[in-house]
Amino acid sequence: MIPAAFDYVTADSADAAIAALTEHGDEAKLLAGGHSLIPLMKFRLATPSVLIDIGRLSDLSYIKEDGDQVAVGAMTTHRAIENSDVLKAQLPMLAHVAGQVGDPSVRHRGTLGGSIAHGDPASDLPAALLALGGSVVVKGPNGERTIAADDFFTGFLETALAPDELMTELRFPKMPDAKWSYQKFNRRAQDWAIVGVAAVTNPMNTSVALVNMGAMPLRAEAVEAALQGGASAADAAAKAGDGMSPPTDLNADANYRNALAQTLVARALAETGA
Amino acid sequence: MKVDLTVNGSAMSADVEPRTLLVHLIRDDLDLTGTNVGCDTSSCGACTVHVNGESVKSCTMFAVQAQGLEITTIEGMAADDGTLHPMQEAFRQCHGLQCGYCTPGMVMAATSLLKQNPSPSEAEVREGLEGNLCRCTGYHNIVKSVMSAAGGA
Ligand SMILES: Cc1cc2nc3c(=O)[nH]c(=O)nc-3n(C[C@H](O)[C@H](O)[C@H](O)COP(=O)(O)OP(=O)(O)OC[C@H]3O[C@@H](n4cnc5c(N)ncnc54)[C@H](O)[C@@H]3O)c2cc1C
Ligand code: FES
Ligand code: FES
């Protein structure tokens, strides 16, 4: 399968990427690891007329501690996150979830920024970002802004990123002692989650995010509210499907996903001790 | 558009359209047809090559993205005198192939895996090769081959 023809531009700095986005408008797409965009282009579900390759922006590939946060450059690969000693110590769930993405060859190319910017409800890392209470740093022609994870995902493959903005960094509060669980349910190795659950329990609260339970990556607000209100983990887990409109596809229908979400949230909460 | 890259240790250049996939540059322009196309949808791993030493599915990368990078294909694995790479030899000894279609990709993925984890457990080998499908379903002997190459069997 051959994608439709496009013009190819390489950006040698973040500012160059933003300038190219501004110049070419919404005809242009950024190309990071290409592991969401190239498959879409091969099916001609995406036909950008200009691709701006940010794959050479190695200065956007880093993992560094910054006070009570860890900053991860948008171009950091899943592989680098999976193996990061800083993340294993400070945000072990993030390292674990990155290791659950696809297969090793996918993880060598795919980036955290690409996965978050794509905003696929079936993907793993957005749920981790939500459950960990992270934030997204983006840069555009008018400067930089930081968007809370909860405000970032806005619809099916839609996010708060403007067409002329580049995501530069993801920030996460350090949580070395949080109890966490990531439940990815699939039938075959390497597959996407049919449903997934990311749960993080801190002394004061538990946050729960769901994979593939709606049009976008979502918090399980009904579960969180029930726990906050003192419900047992079992009662809270029973609310996992509340307010959700999960998709129906070859793997599962909506009812099955609702049931699966309840089971997986119960397992996750048992692991975090919520 | 001109791409300069190193393939199996030799500097090469080609003139490609930006939409040319790396696997097509390798097979059609460079005539290295050991790298196969199976699914063409990033799932089967038949097209696996090394990009700067790490396994990558070459059907999911544009040739222009390889500008300046080092690519190794299955043709680059054996020594100049034809002596097979230890992983190739292990596949041969352990009957790790049937029709052979998945084999180049398996060998490339397996050598990338051993580079990162020189003495994996059997479970780690299975997990490490999860992106490579064998339509002949010869997985047991493929895993045996990789364990053997790692010195673990
Ligand atoms: C076989 C296969 C299996 C997979 N399995 C899983 C899985 O199990 N779970 C999972 O979560 N994912 C999975 N993925 C997707 C993988 O995680 C992708 O790597 C990721 O979704 C996209 O990252 P990328 O760097 O490849 O982005 P690209 O494909 O390059 O880009 C994706 C989108 O994000 C935009 N973008 C990229 N970077 C930026 C940036 N810095 N700023 C603004 N916009 C940006 C692009 O313009 C594009 O629209 C799989 C992919 C494949 C091919
Ligand atoms: S042909 Fe590339 S993964 Fe199947
Ligand atoms: S040996 Fe035939 S596909 Fe693997």
Side-chain angles (χ1 to χ4, degrees):
Chain A
M1 291 176 297
I2 312 292
F6 55 85
D7 290 331
Y8 175 80
V9 183
T10 45
D12 51 17
S13 68
D15 288 338
I18 295 161
L21 280 175
T22 311
E23 181 187 340
H24 298 290
D26 55 14
E27 295 293 286
K29 275 258 170 219
L30 296 171
L31 176 67
H35 271 55
S36 290
L37 187 53
I38 295 176
L40 286 178
M41 290 176 66
K42 288 171 74 176
F43 281 117
R44 304 213 178 186
L45 295 171
T47 52
S49 52
V50 181
L51 272 195
I52 303 164
D53 189 356
I54 53 174
R56 285 161 205 280
L57 298 186
S58 49
D59 51 343
L60 288 186
S61 173
Y62 56 83
I63 297 165
K64 55 188 185 208
E65 298 186 66
D66 183 5
D68 56 4
Q69 295 192 318
V70 179
V72 182
M75 288 303 300
T76 310
T77 61
H78 305 324
R79 163 87 191 155
I81 292 173
E82 179 185 2
N83 286 303
S84 157
D85 289 331
V86 169
L87 291 175
K88 282 184 198 163
Q90 298 297 341
L91 289 150
M93 185 169 85
L94 186 62
H96 171 81
V97 173
Q100 299 299 301
V101 173
D103 59 65
S105 301
V106 170
R107 299 198 289 272
H108 289 150
R109 296 286 304 164
T111 66
L112 179 61
S115 183
I116 302 299
H118 196 54
D120 188 331
S123 58
D124 299 293
L125 287 158
L129 179 77
L130 286 169
L132 291 167
S135 52
V136 182
V137 183
V138 306
K139 206 172 167 193
N142 303 318
E144 195 173 276
R145 62 190 180 114
T146 301
I147 308 165
D150 284 334
D151 300 325
F152 188 73
F153 304 106
T154 55
F156 183 66
L157 303 185
E158 285 185 12
T159 69
L161 260 172
D164 56 0
E165 282 177 324
L166 168 80
M167 182 187 301
T168 53
E169 189 175 271
L170 290 304
R171 302 186 72 87
F172 300 86
K174 285 183 181 171
M175 290 187 204
D177 303 321
K179 299 271 187 286
W180 60 273
S181 174
Y182 189 68
Q183 302 287 329
K184 179 172 182 173
F185 188 89
N186 55 16
R187 293 223 185 96
R188 298 176 309 183
Q190 122 179 301
D191 271 356
W192 298 70
I194 296 174
V195 171
V197 175
V200 178
T201 297
N202 281 303
M204 298 305 290
N205 71 323
T206 291
S207 47
V208 181
L210 300 177
V211 178
N212 228 350
M213 281 297 287
M216 55 190 195
L218 291 161
R219 293 274 289 265
E221 285 169 10
V223 175
E224 293 175 345
L227 287 171
Q228 203 67 39
S232 69
D235 288 346
K239 298 189 179 301
D242 288 15
M244 300 290 159
S245 14
T248 288
D249 57 25
L250 281 177
N251 283 312
D253 64 16
N255 287 335
Y256 181 83
R257 281 201 162 84
N258 270 329
L260 195 51
Q262 294 177 34
T263 303
L264 296 178
V265 169
R267 285 183 194 164
L269 296 181
E271 263 187 40
T272 70
Chain B
M1 193 161 188
K2 193 160 169 273
V3 196
D4 303 298
L5 68 176
T6 304
V7 180
N8 299 331
S10 309
M12 305 216 172
S13 70
D15 194 18
V16 296
E17 269 193 83
R19 60 177 167 168
T20 306
L21 297 165
L22 178 60
V23 69
H24 293 139
L25 168 74
I26 291 170
R27 288 180 56 87
D28 303 342
D29 294 81
L30 305 180
D31 217 16
L32 295 169
T33 53
T35 304
N36 289 330
V37 178
C39 64
D40 205 8
T41 54
S42 322
S43 305
C44 74
C47 64
T48 307
V49 299
H50 292 178
V51 176
N52 284 358
E54 289 183 328
S55 65
V56 168
K57 293 173 173 179
S58 61
C59 73
T60 315
M61 185 167 164
F62 292 118
V64 288
Q65 291 177 282
Q67 167 66 35
L69 303 185
E70 280 189 32
I71 310 297
T72 308
T73 68
I74 189 70
E75 289 88 348
M77 297 304 276
D80 287 343
D81 67 358
T83 309
L84 293 181
H85 183 279
M87 186 64 75
Q88 292 173 304
E89 187 57 35
F91 269 71
R92 178 161 141 172
Q93 295 300 333
C94 301
H95 198 60
L97 58 149
Q98 293 176 51
C99 78
Y101 202 82
C102 69
T103 314
M106 286 288 179
V107 168
M108 300 316 282
T111 44
S112 174
L113 169 71
L114 290 197
K115 213 163 143 192
Q116 294 167 358
N117 182 0
S119 36
S121 65
E122 193 185 312
E124 286 170 334
V125 170
R126 287 180 187 276
E127 209 153 274
L129 295 180
E130 69 182 323
N132 293 72
L133 305 182
C134 175
R135 200 65 209 265
C136 301
T137 69
Y139 294 107
H140 289 302
N141 282 356
I142 290 171
V143 173
K144 207 190 274 177
S145 307
V146 180
M147 293 301 284
S148 158

